[in-house]
Amino acid sequence: MATNRTFTMIKPDAFGEGNAGAILKMIEEAGFNILALKLTKLDKATAGKFYAVHKERPFYMDLCDYMSSGPIIAAILEKDNAVADFRKLIGATNPKEAEEGTIRKLFAKSIEANAVHGSDSDENAKIEGSFFFSELEIIND
Ligand code: ATP
Ligand code: MG
């Protein structure tokens, strides 16, 4: 089923290197509308909660340290087929495997510090958007 919303974060590596503006420009040029946007910094426990699905993975503690290492930008995006189209725009988790022209190919440092997050399903887009934004903070018309 085509979806129309996804959730993203510009991760600490990308924000810290001053790439947030360039990444938001790519997102807008790809046809996504920004419905909600926030600059924030996660503490380790909150990063752990967000990525709880990965808590059994060997990289989980490192991931929580990394995601709480600096500011991030969280956003809800709207477009036809948003989840799949956004995953295509950001490219593979490992930037070495990401296609040319994708956000991760251009800006990611490593498989961990990979510049951006993108929801992997409609259901998770909703859960993740609600993790950061109340209904009042989301443009709805
Ligand atoms: P995201 O959920 O952040 O959009 P993804 O869906 O492409 O990324 P996941 O498998 O959900 O990838 O992994 C979540 C995050 O955990 C990755 O984006 C990356 O920051 C980190 N990660 C994933 N695999 C590894 C790994 N093998 N080593 C270190 N970090 C990893
Ligand atoms: Mg994921």
Side-chain angles (χ1 to χ4, degrees):
M1 192 185 85
T3 69
N4 67 359
R5 283 187 185 187
T6 191
F7 171 79
T8 187
M9 289 183 285
I10 298 176
K11 295 184 178 183
D13 59 304
F15 184 83
E17 286 176 15
N19 292 324
I23 291 172
L24 286 172
K25 185 166 194 274
M26 284 182 73
I27 290 171
E28 289 187 313
E29 284 178 352
F32 292 87
N33 292 324
I34 298 170
L35 299 186
L37 187 80
K38 148 182 318 182
L39 174 66
T40 185
K41 187 168 185 288
L42 302 176
D43 61 26
K44 200 171 162 179
T46 309
K49 234 165 121 185
F50 183 86
Y51 277 117
V53 57
H54 293 309
K55 65 177 181 295
E56 308 303 334
R57 309 279 287 274
F59 57 79
Y60 178 66
M61 291 313 279
D62 283 347
L63 177 61
C64 296
D65 283 338
Y66 157 62
M67 286 302 297
S68 57
S69 66
I72 58 125
I73 288 177
I76 295 175
L77 306 173
E78 176 188 62
K79 183 186 185 295
D80 285 348
N81 204 31
V83 168
D85 284 4
F86 193 72
R87 299 279 294 189
K88 201 161 190 305
L89 177 68
I90 67 179
T93 308
N94 185 346
K96 288 187 185 141
E97 290 159 15
E99 274 183 50
E100 289 300 329
T102 60
I103 292 175
R104 282 171 169 164
K105 184 71 176 186
L106 287 165
F107 298 109
K109 293 259 132 337
S110 67
I111 191 168
E112 177 182 78
N114 61 1
V116 278
H117 165 81
S119 303
D120 60 11
S121 67
D122 244 11
E123 191 193 359
N124 285 335
K126 203 165 172 17
I127 293 168
E128 292 169 1
S130 306
F131 190 92
F132 282 89
F133 299 100
S134 72
E135 277 305 312
L136 283 174
E137 295 173 299
I138 304 170
I139 300 299
N140 232 334
D141 52 13

